[in-house]
Amino acid sequence: SPAGMVLSVLVILLLSMLYEAVKMGKAVLLRRALLALPRSLSRESLAEPEEGGTGPAQGRWFRYHVGQTLFHVVQVVLGYMVMLAVMSYNAWIFLGAIAGSTLGYFV
């Protein structure tokens, strides 16, 4: 039905926008993770300290890495969902995915 097609296109448009937002969030987390790394990348600075377990910089880096991993999983799932919708070979769905990706990147 026409209403079902419009709803499908809107859902794909929103999924594509969400995909772009997750991609941007992952890039922001990568930048924060890189800033959390120690300035010197020698073995001594990356090795675990002898006393007290992990340092605060390593803990922050690990949290950012876990966050990036979760963002990556969400990005892959959304990407496959949009890809499967586009593989229906429906021109309106394809245009919804393109429009959503464009709007998501713009925003």
Side-chain angles (χ1 to χ4, degrees):
S1 71
M5 180 56 72
V6 169
L7 182 63
S8 297
V9 170
L10 285 176
V11 167
I12 295 303
L13 187 132
L14 291 174
L15 284 176
S16 296
M17 287 181 70
L18 185 60
Y19 176 85
E20 291 294 331
V22 168
K23 188 168 71 169
M24 192 65 199
K26 197 168 106 174
V28 168
L29 275 179
L30 175 62
R31 186 176 66 226
R32 289 182 182 173
L34 290 176
L35 291 174
L37 282 175
R39 296 264 181 225
S40 171
L41 292 179
S42 66
R43 287 182 189 246
E44 293 81 25
S45 65
L46 292 177
E48 298 216 10
E50 285 88 21
E51 299 175 19
T54 61
Q58 289 174 334
R60 275 195 320 248
W61 179 85
F62 182 74
R63 284 192 306 249
Y64 288 134
H65 189 62
V66 168
Q68 281 181 306
T69 302
L70 295 175
F71 269 94
H72 179 74
V73 169
V74 171
Q75 183 183 3
V76 167
V77 169
L78 288 173
Y80 277 121
M81 287 173 65
V82 171
M83 180 193 67
L84 285 173
V86 168
M87 292 302 292
S88 69
Y89 298 109
N90 185 315
W92 293 110
I93 298 290
F94 177 72
L95 291 175
I98 296 298
S101 182
T102 303
L103 287 172
Y105 184 80
F106 180 76
V107 171

